[in-house]
Amino acid sequence: MRVSDQQRDLTPLAPLGLGRLRSGPVRSQRPVYVDLLPPCNAGCPAGENIQAWLAHVKAGDHEAAWRQLTLDNPFPAIHGRVCYHPCETACNRADLDGAVSIHGVERFLGDLAIERGWQFEAPATRTGHRVLVIGSGPSGLSAAYHLARQGHDVVVRDNGPAPGGMMRYGIPAYRLPRHVLDAEIDRLVRLGVRFEQDHRVTDLEAERLEGGFDAVFVAVGAHLSKRVDIPNMDAGRVLDAVTFLRGVETGEQQPLHGTVAVYGGGNTAMDAARVARRVGADESVIVYRRSREQMPAHEEEAEDAEAEGIRINWLRTIQDMGEGELTVEVQELDEHGRPHGTGTYETLAADTVILALGQESDTAFLRDVAGVEFDDDVVKVAPSTLMTGAPGIFAGGDAVPSQRTVTIGVGHGKRAARSIDAWLHSEEFVKEPRHDIIHSDRLNLWYFGDHDRRQQPELDPAARIAAFEEVVSGLSEQEAGFEAGRCLSCGNCFECDGCFGACPEDAIIKLGKGLRYEFDYAKCTGCGTCYRQCPVHAIEMVAESEFTRSESTQPVLTQPVLTQPELTQVDATDSVERG
């Protein structure tokens, strides 16, 4: 039988075990371990490293989890109750069997810390710098915390009788019990933050000079209610929602009777309607000019209100008020989704009307400060630093154009504290770059199996309206651990040993618990088996052309694709544009 020329030119492989070099395919790519940005971290306005503290809970080290969490957010017991958890909306586990109950685990850690008396560690050194924080709401408290941990002396001045801002005077106790709020603020006092309540700032420059403050952070809340002119308003009892909720908190609000109509469609409107039932109203109704899909309130807020028997009248506007009743006009949406009147009118019973049409920030004291510019009631700031046009004066939370939530306010406080610290040291704060966010289509979800989310118990709706008892209960230790275990560790190795066991060339070296693995590139053929099986996409295949050989035996990646683990955190909201 004749051998072809092609066959004749082939050099046969040496038998195995003879110690000779064998010819084979040239490696064109190699695996590299990476740390990508999980979507929960990317979605957190407070910039928490959620994946990291969930891992500590999964390991059973609750205090380590709390300390990891509070590096970014000092108020886990508060946020576990009032945050609308955009991290869960982003969670990749939702594409499998349901998002991880991140807020439930956060609340568990916060409550456990209160129970066990965990405190923040004091800074090792003091800087000698003094910073004034105006406003003791979430943004001001967050800034005070981070500034204090950086070693600065911090004074918080606020015109309310007790600190907390809208967390105390706007969020009802059935959502945020006051002992929880007080406990989390008390840690700041123990850290050295000084609070001066019932102090209204009127002349900022004078206070800054007299107090020897090197920088100022303005974090006043949106406490001023917007008004609307309704014909015959004097014929009925009219309250504004902010004043009403504040009066309930301070005990100044008289009981309500009969039917209460709340005009508005935001979260404040939902709270006002629910609180009205708890202070004596026989019935609460909500009147809102747009559709359910267009309401600014979060859907869960509307659902909770409806569960308590509150009727929401969508696409209605109040046209007139009479003794014990309202005239409302039915609206309809045009092709652009804008409501307009139809000429059809209805009559609703209403002994009291509560206006919840939005709030404005109390920033009038800044009008005379040179360099500070305004956009209506809010202050213009540099988005990256939150500094106003006046050197050393920063602003955040409700005082700047932004969505007005507790978590965004806390994120602004952290960002401002970093910027203030850099400014005080005559440095420029450079924000870390955003990195590749890992989504579920790049994960091997089959690896994890189905494990349903644990639900938090809730009071029966009929029992809720009788008092201000907390409606939603927390997770148990076992349930919190189970939820932490549901985390997919998206984009970050969790040492499952999959790559170690799958490599056909034994080219993966296991470094020990917590140290992960490394590749032995002398053995690696670049087959990609480790990459294809990795459940969390913690391995990337990189072309050989991206590497060069150094004097050592380890290859050097010329264009790194690795992101450092500490960069898996995301700063407070990237934009302060109005939501």
Side-chain angles (χ1 to χ4, degrees):
M1 180 168 136
R2 184 176 180 180
V3 179
S4 68
D5 292 339
Q6 183 179 10
Q7 290 173 313
R8 188 182 298 114
D9 291 340
L10 288 176
T11 302
L13 296 175
L16 292 174
L18 294 182
R20 301 175 186 173
L21 293 176
R22 306 172 67 208
S23 65
V26 176
R27 185 174 63 205
S28 62
Q29 59 179 357
R30 67 178 59 185
V32 175
Y33 288 110
V34 297
D35 286 289
L36 304 179
L37 181 61
C40 56
N41 289 25
C44 178
E48 294 179 17
N49 191 342
I50 295 168
Q51 191 181 93
W53 59 256
L54 282 176
H56 285 304
V57 176
K58 181 180 178 181
D61 194 340
H62 298 135
E63 184 170 356
W66 179 80
R67 295 200 180 279
Q68 171 68 57
L69 193 165
T70 55
L71 289 176
D72 300 298
N73 177 3
F75 310 122
I78 293 172
H79 282 249
R81 290 170 164 84
V82 305
C83 179
Y84 295 106
H85 35 270
C87 54
E88 294 183 21
T89 302
C91 178
N92 283 328
R93 182 111 203 178
D95 293 332
L96 179 59
D97 52 17
V100 176
S101 182
I102 297 170
H103 79 282
V105 183
E106 184 169 25
R107 170 176 169 170
F108 165 77
L109 290 175
D111 288 350
L112 188 65
I114 294 173
E115 176 187 325
R116 297 187 177 177
W118 295 339
Q119 300 296 326
F120 301 132
E121 295 180 2
T125 59
R126 310 298 302 182
T127 67
H129 293 297
R130 284 172 57 80
V131 182
L132 173 62
V133 175
I134 303 174
S136 66
S139 190
L141 294 176
S142 173
Y145 161 76
H146 289 285
L147 288 164
R149 294 198 72 167
Q150 290 160 350
H152 305 302
D153 294 327
V154 184
V155 176
V156 180
R157 291 176 176 169
D158 184 271
N159 65 358
M166 290 299 283
M167 292 188 296
R168 184 180 301 276
Y169 299 109
I171 299 178
Y174 59 79
R175 290 178 56 202
L176 178 57
R178 297 307 181 244
H179 75 274
V180 172
L181 177 62
D182 291 337
E184 301 236 87
I185 293 176
D186 181 64
R187 282 200 201 93
L188 303 191
V189 177
R190 292 172 180 264
L191 187 61
V193 176
R194 179 180 172 185
F195 287 89
E196 298 179 359
Q197 298 301 134
D198 289 316
H199 185 125
R200 178 177 290 276
V201 174
T202 57
D203 188 335
L204 179 57
E205 295 290 6
E207 297 215 13
R208 184 178 180 184
L209 182 63
E210 292 169 5
F213 295 110
D214 302 295
V216 178
F217 180 56
V218 178
V220 293
H223 295 279
L224 305 179
S225 294
K226 294 181 179 178
R227 303 287 294 181
V228 62
D229 290 328
I230 300 173
N232 299 316
M233 285 182 62
D234 295 338
R237 185 180 183 188
V238 180
L239 306 172
D240 73 78
V242 174
T243 302
F244 167 68
L245 293 173
R246 187 182 185 91
V248 172
E249 173 63 25
T250 60
E252 299 171 324
Q253 175 62 47
Q254 296 298 313
L256 299 179
H257 304 284
T259 300
V260 174
V262 179
Y263 196 22
N267 294 318
T268 300
M270 303 299 164
D271 281 336
R274 296 173 69 184
V275 169
R277 290 297 312 275
R278 287 163 169 80
V279 295
D282 299 318
E283 183 181 16
S284 284
V285 298
I286 292 175
V287 179
Y288 180 53
R289 69 191 183 97
R290 295 184 181 272
S291 66
R292 187 184 196 105
E293 293 71 27
Q294 296 171 320
M295 67 175 176
H298 291 85
E299 176 60 31
E300 61 193 78
E301 294 293 326
E303 291 174 355
D304 284 342
E306 291 174 324
E308 295 177 10
I310 294 167
R311 185 175 75 255
I312 305 177
N313 296 274
W314 308 104
L315 292 168
R316 301 291 189 275
T317 59
I318 298 178
Q319 297 296 310
D320 197 1
M321 297 180 60
E323 185 67 34
E325 66 178 24
L326 300 174
T327 300
V328 299
E329 183 179 12
V330 178
Q331 306 288 295
E332 65 180 11
L333 302 178
D334 62 19
E335 64 273 16
H336 302 293
R338 293 187 295 260
H340 63 89
T342 62
T344 301
Y345 297 89
E346 298 173 346
T347 300
L348 297 178
D351 299 285
T352 301
V353 176
I354 299 176
L355 302 179
L357 301 171
Q359 295 89 247
E360 296 179 341
S361 297
D362 189 6
T363 54
F365 68 96
L366 290 171
R367 296 285 175 178
D368 295 329
V369 178
V372 177
E373 298 180 2
F374 288 82
D375 181 2
D376 293 328
D377 62 306
V378 291
V379 181
K380 292 183 178 180
V381 293
S384 59
T385 65
L386 298 183
M387 188 159 75
T388 69
I393 299 180
F394 299 75
D398 292 354
V400 303
S402 67
Q403 295 183 52
R404 290 170 171 170
T405 71
V406 170
T407 311
I408 286 178
V410 167
H412 283 183
K414 183 179 76 169
R415 186 195 301 181
R418 291 181 176 181
S419 299
I420 291 169
D421 181 67
W423 188 81
L424 290 173
H425 289 94
S426 300
E427 300 171 349
E428 181 180 355
F429 174 69
V430 179
K431 185 178 178 182
E432 296 165 342
R434 291 289 293 269
H435 291 270
D436 188 12
I437 301 175
I438 179 73
H439 296 293
S440 62
D441 59 349
R442 299 164 69 189
L443 306 177
N444 288 324
L445 293 177
W446 53 263
Y447 175 89
F448 298 97
D450 292 334
H451 300 283
D452 291 338
R453 171 184 171 116
R454 294 298 180 259
Q455 300 298 323
Q456 295 171 245
E458 296 186 9
L459 279 180
D460 182 83
R464 297 179 191 176
I465 60 175
F468 282 84
E469 294 297 320
E470 189 168 14
V471 169
V472 181
S473 300
L475 297 175
S476 67
E477 180 177 346
Q478 181 180 9
E479 290 169 331
F482 180 87
E483 280 302 310
R486 295 179 68 239
C487 174
L488 303 180
S489 192
C490 305
N492 295 272
C493 174
F494 66 104
E495 299 182 6
C496 70
D497 281 352
C499 58
F500 180 73
C503 179
E505 307 296 338
D506 292 330
I508 295 176
I509 303 169
K510 190 172 182 178
L511 301 178
K513 185 176 181 180
L515 302 177
R516 302 186 181 180
Y517 316 85
E518 73 177 28
F519 291 105
D520 183 346
Y521 291 112
K523 294 181 179 180
C524 176
T525 63
C527 68
T529 300
C530 58
Y531 160 77
R532 288 189 295 272
Q533 67 74 43
C534 180
V536 298
H537 201 102
I539 300 172
E540 290 277 14
M541 297 303 295
V542 181
E544 283 289 321
S545 60
E546 299 294 333
F547 291 85
T548 61
R549 285 282 172 182
S550 66
E551 294 180 359
S552 68
T553 57
Q554 288 296 317
V556 177
L557 183 60
T558 58
Q559 296 182 4
V561 296
L562 287 174
T563 63
Q564 297 302 315
E566 61 267 24
L567 297 189
T568 59
Q569 301 180 64
V570 59
D571 231 338
T573 43
D574 293 327
S575 171
V576 290
E577 294 299 317
R578 183 180 296 277

